[in-house]
């Protein structure tokens, strides 16, 4: 399948990239593939986020029902050790540790909401399709990925239920797999990044 942009990973980065690209050019064909059975299934459960980037990406996020419902009302810092916890005074903490104006959220819910926003702009999102291979052009540039291969044993041999994956080609390929992404590691090694 051919697209203008292929994004691997339906986390906050991949979905924000898809939304921004569609905002810039609604005619772009953009696909996001996600290994989880649903968007948000393979993301950290909770976080405290500063909505500054969301304000820029989707200024009316509050009116659109973004799941940022719990503002941070208090910060407490503790030093943990074998004997227990000792609270540190807030005034000793650097300004970046002040969470005033931030929200305690479920990142899974944020991603599901972002996915709905992206789909509303025309982005195609395919959960349940792990990408297993990077495809290269003759000049060495990345041309796409293979998604949805099933039936490969841990030792690499093809089992009886083997099904080849689908090639997704794009003018641009965004690798937004997260910190342990195998495709990102491959691309980093190949291009010495």
């Amino acid at each position: 399948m051919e697209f203008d942009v292929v994004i691997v990973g339906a986390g906050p980065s991949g979905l924000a990239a898809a939304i921004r690209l569609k905002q810039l050019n609604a005619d772009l064909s953009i696909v996001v593939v996600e290994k989880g059975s649903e968007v948000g299934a393979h993301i950290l459960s909770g976080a405290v986020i500063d909505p500054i980037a969301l304000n820029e990406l989707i200024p009316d996020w509050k009116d659109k029902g973004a799941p940022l419902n719990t503002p941070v009302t208090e910060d407490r810092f503790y030093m943990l050790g074998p004997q227990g916890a000792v609270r540190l005074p807030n005034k000793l903490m650097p300004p970046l540790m002040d969470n005033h104006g931030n929200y305690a959220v479920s990142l899974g819910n944020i991603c599901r909401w972002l996915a709905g926003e992206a789909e509303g702009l025309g982005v195609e999102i395919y959960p349940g399709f792990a990408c297993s291979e990077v495809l290269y052009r003759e000049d060495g540039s990345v041309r796409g990925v293979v998604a949805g291969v099933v039936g490969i044993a841990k030792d690499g041999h093809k089992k009886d239920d083997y099904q080849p994956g689908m090639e997704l080609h794009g003018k641009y390929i965004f690798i937004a797999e997260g910190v342990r992404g195998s495709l990102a590691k491959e691309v980093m090694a190949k291009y010495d990044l």
Side-chain angles (χ1 to χ4, degrees), residues 3-6 15 18 24 32-33 44 61 87 95 102 130 161-162:
F3 298 92
D4 291 316
V5 181
V6 176
L15 292 168
L24 292 171
V32 178
V33 287
L44 294 171
W61 59 266
R87 185 166 182 199
N102 296 345
D161 63 344
Y162 171 77

Side-chain angles (χ1 to χ4, degrees), residues 140-160:
S141 63
V142 175
R143 76 175 163 126
V145 295
V146 175
V149 175
V150 295
I152 302 286
K154 287 186 180 186
D155 66 4
H157 83 274
K158 296 176 183 175
K159 301 188 301 185
D160 292 338

Side-chain angles (χ1 to χ4, degrees), residues 21 23 28 61 102 104 131 136 147 164 175:
L21 288 168
Q23 290 171 339
L28 290 174
W61 59 266
N102 296 345
C131 291
Y136 299 94
I175 306 294

Side-chain angles (χ1 to χ4, degrees), residues 32-68:
V32 178
V33 287
E34 166 59 36
K35 71 179 174 185
S37 59
E38 65 178 7
V39 172
H42 281 255
I43 195 90
L44 294 171
S45 62
V48 174
I49 67 164
D50 182 341
I52 189 168
L54 192 55
N55 290 335
E56 291 182 28
L57 184 67
I58 306 172
D60 58 345
W61 59 266
K62 286 182 184 178
D63 295 334
K64 291 185 171 191
L68 283 78

Side-chain angles (χ1 to χ4, degrees), residues 66-113:
L68 283 78
N69 304 316
T70 310
V72 174
T73 58
E74 181 181 3
D75 288 318
R76 293 185 187 179
F77 301 98
Y78 293 90
M79 184 179 315
L80 305 177
Q83 304 303 321
V86 176
R87 185 166 182 199
L88 301 173
N90 287 15
K91 64 183 176 185
L92 295 178
M93 302 310 293
L96 288 174
M97 299 298 286
D98 179 12
N99 287 301
H100 178 75
N102 296 345
Y103 292 83
V105 299
S106 160
L107 282 179
N109 288 341
I110 295 287
C111 289
R112 282 185 278 282
W113 181 80

